[in-house]
Amino acid sequence: MPERGTGDSMFLKSLAALAVGIAVGFSAPVMAQESFKVGVTTTGVPFTFVDTTTQQPTGAMVDLAKAIATEVGLKPTFELTAFSALVPSLSTHKIDVISAGMLATDERRKVVDFSEPVYTYGDAMFVAADAKDVTLDDLKGQVVGAQVGTTFADSLKALNIFSEVKLYESIADIMRDVKLGRIKAGFGDQPIIAYQIAKNPGLGVRLVKGYKPLKEGQVALAIAKDNPALLTKVNAAILKLKASGELDKIFAAYGL
């Protein structure tokens, strides 16, 4: 066999470089698809919040998103978003999925798709720590607070018994005004309220004993309606995590 000359070597090197260039060209979009943006809030303890030590998003729904990502081979990045901006951010593709303490409601289903449910809970009422327990009837004509964009706010307004259902960006803001006596009572996600009060006795508020939730719902991840492929992958991962018991472990780690 004749030896390859210099010209042959240069030709082979050119082919190798071309092959690498083609491989990179084809691999770039695939790598982009391996990442997906997860919308979370900083005010949904213990579902989603920021760890003050690491300054990183954490919580049950953050851990769940990480577990789902592992199952489907995606790399999650977490986008801190106000609760009221989560759905708009998903609809405009600023994020790919919402993983927060969000209830899957018929109204929200009009604009987003929801995954298999992962948790169930209702609302809670809280008052100032030194206040007496009250009922909804006791609050007729009074100002109460709820978080903007929540189903609880809509349910309270529908009762048509309060002088005002004041809307707040965060539960922490509602707690502050309840403690200071600016409003008579606040309403919010039961597990979030219970967790925050248990961890921070100095908040100056407490849960009302015997209160029956106006509404209970199921927490699920939200995905844009034009992304059915991702929804299928997420659902498959959730069912696998349920079957293995990992889903229960994730929520139990946060007292849920």
Side-chain angles (χ1 to χ4, degrees), residues 42 51 65 79 81 86 109 115 127 133 180 187 208 241 246:
T42 61
D51 186 309
E79 300 291 328
T81 310
L86 284 172
R109 288 183 193 280
S115 70
V127 294
D133 281 337
L180 296 175
F187 295 80
V208 172
L241 292 169
E246 185 63 25

Side-chain angles (χ1 to χ4, degrees), residues 45-46 49 175 191-205 207 252-256:
V45 181
F49 59 101
M175 289 181 169
I192 293 177
I193 303 297
Y195 185 93
Q196 292 192 19
I197 291 176
K199 294 291 184 180
N200 303 286
L203 287 172
V205 299
L207 289 171
Y254 293 89
L256 296 167

Side-chain angles (χ1 to χ4, degrees), residues 59-238:
M61 294 301 290
V62 172
D63 288 357
L64 176 58
K66 290 178 180 178
I68 290 172
T70 298
E71 290 292 337
V72 301
L74 297 173
K75 182 180 179 181
T77 57
F78 294 93
E79 300 291 328
L80 299 177
T81 310
F83 188 86
S84 58
L86 284 172
V87 171
S89 294
L90 183 63
S91 298
T92 54
H93 300 290
K94 292 179 181 178
I95 56 176
D96 300 309
V97 61
I98 297 171
S99 187
M102 178 176 284
L103 300 180
T105 66
D106 291 338
E107 192 65 25
R108 287 173 178 153
R109 288 183 193 280
K110 294 177 182 179
V111 290
V112 302
D113 284 333
F114 282 103
S115 70
E116 290 286 323
V118 297
Y119 192 78
T120 300
Y121 72 87
D123 59 297
M125 182 201 296
F126 56 96
V127 294
D130 57 356
K132 297 179 179 178
D133 281 337
V134 294
T135 66
L136 289 174
D137 285 339
D138 296 328
L139 295 172
K140 286 182 179 179
Q142 302 290 335
V143 180
V144 298
Q147 191 174 7
V148 64
T150 62
T151 59
F152 309 135
D154 295 334
S155 297
L156 290 166
K157 288 180 179 179
L159 292 176
N160 200 31
I161 62 173
F162 309 107
S163 64
E164 181 187 359
V165 177
K166 191 173 181 180
L167 300 180
Y168 294 81
E169 279 295 332
S170 72
I171 291 175
D173 291 335
I174 307 173
M175 289 181 169
R176 178 202 63 223
D177 277 8
V178 169
K179 177 183 178 180
L180 296 175
R182 293 171 179 166
I183 58 177
K184 289 293 183 180
F187 295 80
D189 311 74
Q190 192 280 332
I192 293 177
I193 303 297
Y195 185 93
Q196 292 192 19
I197 291 176
K199 294 291 184 180
N200 303 286
L203 287 172
V205 299
R206 64 178 183 81
L207 289 171
V208 172
K209 297 176 183 177
Y211 173 75
K212 293 183 179 180
L214 290 172
K215 193 172 186 179
E216 285 193 336
Q218 295 179 317
V219 176
L221 283 75
I223 295 164
K225 282 188 171 294
D226 61 357
N227 199 355
L230 180 59
L231 178 63
T232 298
K233 290 179 180 180
V234 168
N235 278 336
I238 289 172

